[in-house]
Amino acid sequence: MDEDGDAAVRTMVQQWEREMPDVDGAAMAVFGRLSRVNSAASKAIDDALASHGVNRSQFDVLATLRRSGAPFRLSAGELASSMLLSPAATTNRIDQLQAAGLVERLADPADGRAVVVGLTRRGRALAERAVRTHSENERRLLAGLSEDDERALTRQLIALGRSVAENAPGAEA
C-alpha cells in the first residue's frame, strides 16, 4: 500500500474518532489496510497470470493438478476438495480448461466407471510457466519485508485467521 493509501486509512480513523468516538476506528483501520493490500495484490496477481492467458480460477486448477505430482491427475471430487470449491464450480472450471486443451478427462485406472482430470502436456507446460511467474511475482510483492518481518506477518495472519473464524457471526464456539 502506498503512502497515500495509508494516509487515507489514517484520515478515516481520525474522522471516526472525531465524529463517533465510541466506534473502534483501530479495528476499521486493520481491515481497511487488509482490503487495500488485497486489492493491490490481487491486481498484480491477475495481471501476471493473464500474461499466460489464464485467470486465477483456471490457474488454481492447473496448479492444483501440477502440485499433486505425477501423473498430475485427480478425481473431480479431490480437485474440488483441494480447492475448497463446490463440485459445480469445479466442473465449470474443468470444462473451460478442457475446451482450451489444457486438461483432459480420463477413465480412472482404479475404477473404470469413474473419471479423473489430468493435465495435458500443454497444460503441464503452461502450469509450470505460470507457477514460476506467480511465485516470482509474489516474492516481488513481498520484497519490502525482511525475512523476520515476513515470518512475523505470517504468524499474525494465522492468529487473525483464527480470530476471525472464532468470532465471525455463525462461528462455532
Side-chain angles (χ1 to χ4, degrees):
M1 176 171 35
D2 62 18
E3 289 297 320
D4 291 339
D6 196 54
V9 171
R10 286 193 311 273
T11 297
M12 173 198 66
V13 170
Q14 291 167 352
Q15 289 170 334
W16 281 121
E17 287 173 348
R18 182 189 68 231
E19 295 298 318
M20 296 179 70
D22 59 318
V23 169
D24 186 356
M28 286 183 184
V30 168
F31 286 98
R33 287 184 176 102
L34 280 172
S35 179
R36 286 173 178 271
V37 167
N38 181 60
S39 180
S42 290
K43 181 176 179 349
I45 290 167
D46 291 343
D47 290 349
L49 294 175
S51 73
H52 292 282
V54 293
N55 62 36
R56 199 183 309 204
S57 64
Q58 294 165 333
F59 172 75
D60 197 16
V61 173
L62 297 173
T64 299
L65 288 169
R66 177 58 185 91
R67 69 181 161 82
S68 73
F72 314 111
R73 295 178 184 152
L74 295 170
S75 72
E78 290 170 325
L79 198 52
S81 176
S82 181
M83 296 185 303
L84 306 174
L85 288 175
S86 70
T90 302
T91 297
N92 184 44
R93 291 178 184 190
I94 293 167
D95 289 345
Q96 291 171 4
L97 292 167
Q98 186 174 19
L102 300 173
V103 301
E104 57 189 350
R105 288 180 169 96
L106 304 160
D108 185 340
D111 178 359
R113 298 167 296 169
V115 173
V116 294
V117 178
L119 289 173
T120 63
R121 184 172 292 143
R122 193 168 138 240
R124 179 179 172 189
L126 182 120
E128 290 174 359
R129 287 191 312 272
V131 165
R132 282 186 178 88
T133 297
H134 181 62
S135 175
E136 291 164 2
N137 186 44
E138 288 185 329
R139 178 52 50 207
R140 185 173 38 258
L141 295 174
L142 292 173
L145 299 179
S146 69
E147 288 182 26
D148 288 343
D149 287 344
E150 192 176 329
R151 282 191 292 274
L153 177 60
T154 297
R155 287 191 302 275
Q156 292 167 344
L157 288 171
I158 290 168
L160 177 61
R162 285 187 188 127
S163 180
V164 169
E166 292 169 2
N167 296 297
E172 295 180 25

